[in-house]
């Protein structure tokens, strides 16, 4: 029996979640930045695109609501993925995104590999930076959601909290948004597009599958485990069709260009915001 | 047609005069309620109506000594002469005695106060909240900006239903990372530095990390790319 040439890495639901996150995140970036930078010439232009200072806020709020619903649904989905007969083993196991001691060890190996002092660590299904990517979003979303809802309903908020908590909420919302935007548009895009083994684009999150040789090279422990568990055959996957590849290449590059455009303009105009 | 009696004439005249007097009264506040005293009127209201939350005013029991809010240094923090200079918190005309006052604009002396969201984004002018001349001190008993009624007289003009708690939002917030914020608004200060350290720390770790990955892969390996593998089918 021959080995499959491609194996499945992401389910349809995973990929749909990712596309959902891309669309909502970029829309939030655009409307949020357009308001943050409204005192600059560039910000005013973007803001006009979204119907001005007030209308862009309405779009921002509704998109935020949609994201919150997505976050809750995703959390429910996470709970269904835990094997409740052996929860500890399942949560800290190799299929889980929860960080464990192996990640710390592999990070040390990785540091030695950077300087040619050792071999590349044999990553399992998720490497430590992929886990960080995931949890960065997972903690950032609720923080933005809570502070965002506080700012949406300031009068109700001030019934439960002192009014000055709105100052804090505005600061946290802005700071976390800037953190998320810089991380995604610098680090995540570099890993996904620019690093040599991904260039011009890491397709796994869109096609849902990876070529076998790439999987063996990047995630040897994962392939080994699939082999041992006899799941390799069921993970066999067909190559994405040409039209679909064209589609996600265009989509991915549109997102990339948009993000870099936002980031560069954001940095260029940062000194003209004229708020504290 | 019966003749209008003298009493009725007087009554009509009194009504017209009363209406005129009402017209002459100052315009009503944005929220038509003010319950200022923590001791007497508020308790009366609470007892008679049974509801109080919407009209809650946190009582201010000011210390009898000269002080700057938030700074407490002994019973007499300042010498009497220093206090005269500094304590403009309770004056009917807070700018009383300032030289060449008429030649100045607000921002001549208060440039930092024009950098908040209300000024920069909502395009409010100073006088829309602080009122016309003479501008009373915030703590002046009859000032609309006095914290006992600010929410009703000022905030509620735009934020319908503003409460005293809502009015504790710091409109002129200090620059979040500044020494002024550290003493004046420590929660803001520490929230700012926490987020800044998180941002700088994350980027300082992951940008070199990504670059090292990229460099190492660039000089290390010759492998088929995704494209080649897919094209082979």
């Amino acid at each position: 029996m021959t080995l499959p040439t491609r194996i499945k890495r992401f389910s349809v639901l995973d990929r749909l979640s990712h596309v959902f996150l891309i669309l909502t995140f970029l829309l939030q970036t655009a409307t949020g930045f357009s308001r943050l930078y409204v005192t600059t010439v560039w910000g005013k232009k973007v803001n006009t695109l979204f119907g001005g200072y007030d209308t862009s806020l309405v779009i921002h709020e509704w998109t935020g609501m949609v994201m919150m619903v997505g976050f809750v649904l995703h959390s429910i989905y996470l709970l269904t993925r835990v094997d409740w007969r052996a929860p500890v083993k399942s949560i800290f196991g190799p299929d889980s995104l929860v960080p464990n001691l192996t990640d710390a060890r592999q990070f040390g190996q990785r540091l030695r590999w950077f300087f040619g002092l050792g071999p590349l660590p044999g990553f399992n299904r998720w490497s430590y930076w992929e886990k960080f990517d995931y949890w960065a979003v997972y903690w950032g979303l609720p923080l933005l959601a809570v502070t965002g809802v506080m700012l949406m309903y300031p009068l109700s908020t001030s019934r439960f909290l002192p009014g000055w908590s709105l100052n804090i909420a505005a600061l946290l919302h802005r700071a976390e948004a800037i953190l998320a935007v810089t991380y995604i548009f610098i680090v995540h895009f570099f890993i996904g597009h620019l690093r040599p083994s991904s260039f011009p684009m890491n397709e796994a999150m869109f096609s849902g599958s990876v070529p076998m040789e790439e999987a063996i090279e990047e995630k040897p422990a994962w392939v080994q485990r699939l082999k041992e568990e006899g799941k390799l055959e069921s993970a066999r996957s067909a190559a994405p069709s040409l039209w679909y590849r064209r589609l996600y290449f265009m989509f991915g590059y549109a997102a990339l260009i948009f993000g870099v455009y936002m980031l560069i303009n954001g940095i260029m105009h940062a000194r003209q915001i004229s708020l504290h | 047609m019966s003749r209008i009696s003298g009493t009725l004439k007087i009554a009509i005249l009194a009504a017209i005069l009363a209406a005129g007097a009402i017209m002459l009264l100052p315009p009503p506040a944005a929220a038509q309620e003010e319950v200022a005293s923590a001791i007497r009127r508020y308790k009366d209201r609470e007892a008679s109506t049974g509801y109080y939350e919407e009209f809650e005013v946190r009582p201010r029991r000011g210390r009898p000594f000269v002080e700057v809010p938030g700074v407490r240094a002994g019973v007499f923090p300042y010498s009497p002469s220093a206090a005269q200079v500094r304590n403009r918190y309770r004056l009917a005309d807070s700018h009383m005695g300032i030289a060449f006052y008429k030649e100045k604009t607000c921002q001549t002396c208060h440039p930092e106060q024009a950098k908040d969201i209300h000024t920069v984004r909502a395009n409010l002018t100073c006088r829309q909240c602080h009122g016309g001349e003479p501008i009373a001190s915030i703590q002046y008993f009859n000032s609309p900006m006095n914290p006992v009624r600010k929410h009703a007289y000022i905030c509620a003009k735009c934020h319908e239903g503003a409460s005293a708690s809502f009015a504790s939002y710091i409109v002129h917030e200090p620059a979040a990372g500044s020494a002024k914020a550290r003493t004046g608004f420590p929660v803001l200060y520490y929230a700012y530095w926490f987020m800044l350290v998180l941002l700088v720390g994350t980027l300082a770790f992951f940008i070199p990390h990504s670059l090292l990955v990229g460099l190492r892969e660039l000089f290390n390996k010759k492998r088929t790319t995704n494209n080649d593998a897919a094209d082979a089918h």
Side-chain angles (χ1 to χ4, degrees):
Chain A
M1 197 173 196
T2 57
L3 281 176
T5 49
R6 283 182 84 90
I7 52 173
K8 187 177 158 186
R9 180 143 170 77
F10 294 110
S11 70
V12 177
L13 192 60
D14 293 338
R15 290 184 271 155
L16 279 179
S17 306
H18 186 240
V19 170
F20 167 84
L21 199 56
I22 292 175
L23 290 173
T24 49
F25 184 82
L26 293 185
L27 190 52
Q28 291 298 68
T29 309
T31 49
F33 266 37
S34 82
R35 281 174 61 86
L36 180 61
Y37 287 91
V38 75
T39 45
T40 70
V41 176
W42 170 70
K44 210 162 266 160
K45 271 186 211 160
V46 182
N47 201 236
T48 312
L49 249 174
F50 291 103
Y53 198 64
D54 294 329
T55 314
S56 59
L57 180 62
V58 175
I59 299 171
H60 194 79
E61 288 175 349
W62 277 97
T63 314
M65 294 282 198
V66 171
M67 283 180 107
M68 281 180 234
V69 172
F71 178 81
V72 170
L73 291 180
H74 178 73
S75 300
I76 295 169
Y77 166 72
L78 280 190
L79 293 177
T80 67
R81 301 302 292 170
V82 178
D83 180 6
W84 290 107
R85 280 164 301 179
V88 176
K89 206 179 150 201
S90 161
I91 288 171
F92 294 98
D95 270 329
S96 163
L97 278 160
V98 177
N100 51 35
L101 282 177
T102 316
D103 294 314
R105 209 181 59 242
Q106 286 179 339
F107 172 61
Q109 286 178 334
R110 188 77 189 257
L111 280 185
R112 286 195 289 282
W113 172 79
F114 282 154
F115 305 104
L117 301 174
L120 193 63
F123 290 116
N124 213 308
R125 187 166 174 188
W126 313 112
S127 60
Y128 62 85
W129 75 86
E130 286 166 337
K131 289 183 180 181
F132 184 88
D133 250 21
Y134 178 81
W135 290 109
V137 179
Y138 200 90
W139 99 282
L141 264 177
L143 178 64
L144 288 167
V146 170
T147 51
V149 169
M150 282 173 72
L151 295 168
M152 272 164 77
Y153 301 106
L155 290 168
S156 308
T157 303
S158 66
R159 286 169 67 97
F160 303 106
L161 294 168
W164 54 260
S165 63
L166 295 167
N167 292 75
I168 312 293
L171 173 87
L172 289 179
H173 196 85
R174 204 182 302 155
E176 175 59 32
I178 289 169
L179 173 59
V181 163
T182 46
Y183 181 82
I184 295 295
F185 294 163
I186 296 175
V187 178
H188 187 73
F189 278 178
F190 183 90
I191 295 285
H193 289 272
L194 213 55
R195 76 181 179 125
S197 66
S198 298
F199 189 81
M201 178 167 158
N202 190 334
E203 300 171 46
M205 200 26 134
F206 294 97
S207 66
S209 56
V210 281
M212 194 58 178
E213 47 195 297
E214 191 188 315
I216 289 173
E217 192 159 340
E218 300 225 321
K219 317 270 177 194
W222 178 48
V223 178
Q224 188 60 34
R225 189 162 55 84
L226 286 178
K227 242 181 229 168
E228 281 163 10
E229 291 173 359
K231 287 180 183 164
L232 205 52
E233 199 47 43
S234 62
R236 183 190 285 275
S237 181
S241 58
L242 188 58
W243 70 266
Y244 184 51
R245 279 191 83 199
R246 277 191 185 137
L247 183 71
Y248 66 64
F249 257 86
M250 281 194 288
F251 179 73
Y253 265 85
L256 175 73
I257 290 164
F258 177 85
V260 172
Y261 170 79
M262 278 288 157
L263 184 70
I264 289 175
N265 273 293
I267 292 169
M268 273 167 59
H269 295 92
R271 299 205 67 95
Q272 301 165 27
I273 294 181
S274 80
L275 277 176
H276 268 317
Chain B
M1 188 178 155
S2 64
R3 295 181 62 204
I4 299 169
S5 72
T7 327
L8 194 58
K9 267 184 194 167
I10 289 166
I12 289 169
L13 193 65
I16 290 169
L17 282 177
I22 288 169
M23 301 288 281
L24 287 174
L25 282 174
Q32 283 276 327
E33 198 65 44
E34 177 192 356
V35 186
S37 164
I39 299 157
R40 195 160 45 80
R41 287 183 57 198
Y42 176 67
K43 277 191 173 172
D44 288 349
R45 183 183 177 84
E46 190 183 317
S48 63
T49 63
Y51 76 104
Y52 40 88
E53 197 178 33
E54 290 162 68
F55 304 100
E56 182 73 79
V57 173
R58 190 174 294 166
R60 293 241 160 181
R61 296 200 176 77
R63 273 148 41 82
F65 305 112
V66 170
E67 63 176 341
V68 171
V71 176
R72 184 172 174 168
V75 177
F76 296 106
Y78 297 110
S79 68
S81 56
Q84 248 180 358
V85 177
R86 295 194 185 219
N87 185 13
R88 286 183 171 271
Y89 288 96
R90 294 169 204 279
L91 301 182
D93 178 6
S94 59
H95 298 111
M96 190 174 68
I98 289 175
F100 306 113
Y101 180 64
K102 286 209 169 70
E103 314 305 323
K104 298 176 200 274
T105 65
C106 304
Q107 287 177 42
T108 314
C109 301
H110 306 287
E112 286 296 299
Q113 315 300 323
K115 288 185 176 177
D116 54 88
I117 292 175
H118 282 76
T119 318
V120 178
R121 299 297 164 83
N123 291 327
L124 287 189
T125 63
C126 309
R127 298 198 193 283
Q128 278 177 281
C129 297
H130 289 274
E133 297 294 339
I135 297 171
S137 301
I138 299 294
Q139 302 284 355
Y140 175 60
F141 185 79
N142 291 320
S143 168
M145 288 289 273
N146 189 308
V148 301
R149 62 182 79 82
K150 182 171 77 177
H151 60 287
Y153 276 67
I154 308 295
C155 303
K157 282 200 242 178
C158 300
H159 303 277
E160 194 183 339
S163 64
S165 162
F166 180 83
S168 76
Y169 173 81
I170 312 292
V171 170
H172 299 297
E173 64 177 10
S178 64
K180 206 178 160 196
R182 188 179 181 174
T183 47
F185 200 168
V187 188
L188 187 79
Y189 176 83
Y190 288 109
Y192 173 83
W193 283 105
F194 174 76
M195 292 309 289
L196 190 70
V197 167
L198 193 68
L199 171 71
V200 172
T202 307
L203 294 182
F205 178 83
F206 274 102
I207 289 178
H209 179 271
S210 311
L211 284 178
L212 280 171
V213 173
L215 282 175
R216 193 78 177 99
E217 283 180 355
L218 198 62
F219 294 116
N220 196 32
K221 52 177 159 185
K222 284 194 166 59
R223 57 174 284 269
T224 53
T225 62
N226 298 353
N227 288 347
D228 299 335
D231 290 345
H233 292 291

